[in-house]
Amino acid sequence: MSTDSPTAAAPAPTLVLTQEDSWLQPYEPILLARQQRLADRLAAITQAYGSLGKFATAHQQLGLHYDARRRGYVVREWAPGAEAVNLVGDFNFWNRAADPLQKNDATGVWEAFLPDDANGRRPAAGSRYKLHIVAHGQGKDRLPAYLRRAVQDEHTKDYSAQLWMPENPFKWTDQTFRIANATKGQPLIYEAHVGMAQEEGRVGTYREFADYILPRIQADGYNCVQLMAVLEHPYYGSFGYHVANFFAPSSRFGTPEDLKYLVNEAHKRGLVVLLDLVHSHAVKNEAEGLADFDGSGNLYFHKGERGNHPGWDSKLFDYGRPEVQQFLLSNLRYWLEEFHFDGFRFDGVTSMLYHHHGEGHAFGGYDSYFGPQADDDAILYLMLATTLVRELKKSALLIAEDMSGLPGLCRPIAEGGVGFDYRLGMGLPDFWIKTLKHQRDEDWDLGQLWHQLANRRAGEKTVAYAESHDQALVGDKTLAQWLYGDAIYQHMGVLDGDQGAARATALHKLIRLVTLSAGGEAYLNFMGNEFGHPEWIDFPRAGNDWSYHYARRQWSLADNPDLRYNQLLAFDQAMLGLARERQLLAKGPAQLLNIDYGNRIMVFERAGLVFVFSFNVSESFFDYGIPVPVIGRYRLVLNSDRSEFGGFTRLDETVIYDTLGGGGTAEAPRLRLYVPNRVALVLARA
């Protein structure tokens, strides 16, 4: 008889996430530990500050503020390593000894009070100012961490903080706007950059975007605007991803009131406004940013090499430091409350989640997500961030840019997740670019295509997109540039019979529709790509003689009915119209009905619609059998072959199709219809 003790049964999983995914069960202790660490941190914050919301109010205390009760300005700055701090500005003639701050040794916060002074040597509306910080015996002029507005001198290119005090505070009229009413559970996101949204070769403004671009976005059928490059950044060509001043809307596009006008106008039009938020890193510039702010080498960022991003030439936050958590959480609250943003697209989340930042790392198994390379401090910060946003604006949208596929990233914290709503489907644009770059369309593998479209975690929502701003940058190519080649300049007339341009037009529509209809639970497009904008983005730089020629959008091409661009736009509008009408992305994932590899036809169902995609390069099929899930009569509700979409009008859209088979027969129900080559057809029950 064996004397071995019986093996103890593994404890039953307690988290929803691990109950649904048995492969996650060995990692449940790690997920529970993350939950407990969050609970402990929240308890400590509540004990010290009263609540997480009150903790996230540092921007109301630090910086330069007017105290009406005391009748003067209070300036405060966290700089524990500094030896001296002075407020300098045009109001005190930039005298670096005129207005010293005093240090609170317990908190590391320096403070001074500047009473109202009739002789004018005190800050006033429009005053420019900085802090003169002395460390290691050397003084440097620095921009305050919590400044609300930074402006650049036109001649010296030097940035200063500016005291912004509008005579007439902005009056919001969006009190009845509701995020859920606008999106109806399926965000259709228009990614946009305010500065390059005008057709002229110059920097556009917040108000111009509100008055001229928002109407286009609304008419096209999108329900969300995702604004890039709002947080102040010294280098325009960084696309806003090297942030210097986290509480300052970029002054190159206008005033804070102008940005409020933009958001308010968007809400009037029923558009959700998302902020492209960069909390994953910051610019390394000392003159404009936070690097080595107090001379300690690690105030906001990690010390030494850990504080440098290996691929982005930027600084990395120390998410484990309470004051850094407070800085970033206050930043979230500020943008939600001061500017009425409806949520955030968190940039660079993969870089935050892991010590290796995703650089050259393949995520091949669950150990990749929960091993020693996971950055627990950053994960705690993200959980604090999603918790705070939910407290402040319950219906806010939270999108994570993560290419690692961390399980639970987009699940509620109570279920074992991190608390985001959506992750970007970053594999889809990579797939499309690689496919167009390396394969003829007659060689496309439809099985691989379906795998890319359907390969996402159950229960975690994905933003599908065929291309974003990443593919539009100079050095890369948009889908339109890959498809059309030189024809994008030479053969875009609607009467031009160029076969290459006809092929490109057809495939551009198929790629976008199949991505929208099967790739996720939300959809994203970068401005101009909906109509196949012919040129990449190249911001002013020395290499192009500081030209704005490619930092603009040529809307006139889309508005010209004699050009194919107009036809591509018309299809995009029809595609989004169908998605809105049928609640396409809110009704569960697409279900594959058939892939005909020989004839290159794919059929699937979603939201009661039957999608037929023919990727055949030359053959059209009469009386082709299409499997359908339900017996009945069907009609076409979208046909990419319409002439107004740049097609050849090869189908009679008045025809009603009756199913064959089913209803007690051994044969599954199907339709028989004409399927032209390179066409997308969508059918609904008649």
Side-chain angles (χ1 to χ4, degrees), residues 14-15 27-45 376 379-380 383-384 387 413-417:
T14 60
L15 295 173
Y27 306 95
E28 184 170 77
I30 296 175
L31 297 174
L32 290 170
R34 289 176 178 177
Q35 284 187 336
Q36 187 59 51
R37 192 175 184 211
L38 173 66
D40 293 344
R41 184 71 185 113
L42 288 172
I45 288 172
D376 290 331
I379 293 168
L380 173 61
M383 295 171 78
L384 287 167
T387 300
I413 290 172
E415 296 180 2

Side-chain angles (χ1 to χ4, degrees), residues 310-325:
W312 296 348
D313 193 31
S314 56
K315 302 299 293 183
L316 294 170
F317 286 105
D318 182 353
Y319 300 106
R321 194 163 191 174
E323 294 88 350
V324 175
Q325 293 175 358

Side-chain angles (χ1 to χ4, degrees), residues 324-343:
V324 175
Q325 293 175 358
Q326 188 175 37
F327 175 80
L328 295 173
L329 292 171
S330 300
N331 193 236
L332 293 172
R333 179 164 196 157
Y334 171 73
W335 291 109
L336 287 173
E337 295 184 342
E338 184 71 18
F339 292 95
H340 292 205
F341 279 98
D342 302 305

Side-chain angles (χ1 to χ4, degrees), residues 292-367:
D292 198 24
F293 190 77
D294 67 344
S296 64
N298 69 328
L299 188 66
Y300 287 96
F301 310 114
H302 287 292
K303 197 166 190 174
E305 277 308 302
R306 191 182 174 191
N308 298 321
H309 194 287
W312 296 348
D313 193 31
S314 56
K315 302 299 293 183
L316 294 170
F317 286 105
D318 182 353
Y319 300 106
R321 194 163 191 174
E323 294 88 350
V324 175
Q325 293 175 358
Q326 188 175 37
F327 175 80
L328 295 173
L329 292 171
S330 300
N331 193 236
L332 293 172
R333 179 164 196 157
Y334 171 73
W335 291 109
L336 287 173
E337 295 184 342
E338 184 71 18
F339 292 95
H340 292 205
F341 279 98
D342 302 305
F344 304 100
R345 178 263 200 191
F346 277 67
D347 174 69
V349 169
T350 304
S351 177
M352 300 172 70
L353 292 172
Y354 311 100
H355 293 298
H356 53 63
H357 310 298
E359 294 277 305
H361 188 86
F363 293 89
Y366 281 14
D367 283 342

Side-chain angles (χ1 to χ4, degrees), residues 506-514 613-615 640 678-680:
L507 290 178
H508 195 272
K509 293 178 289 184
L510 267 62
I511 288 171
R512 300 177 82 77
L513 180 59
V514 77
F613 287 86
S614 172
F615 291 96
S640 70
R678 289 192 182 121
V679 74

Side-chain angles (χ1 to χ4, degrees), residues 223-245:
N223 55 36
C224 294
V225 183
Q226 180 175 297
L227 292 181
M228 308 174 65
V230 171
L231 281 64
E232 189 63 86
H233 48 290
Y235 179 47
Y236 190 43
S238 76
F239 234 139
Y241 290 120
H242 277 196
V243 174
N245 315 113

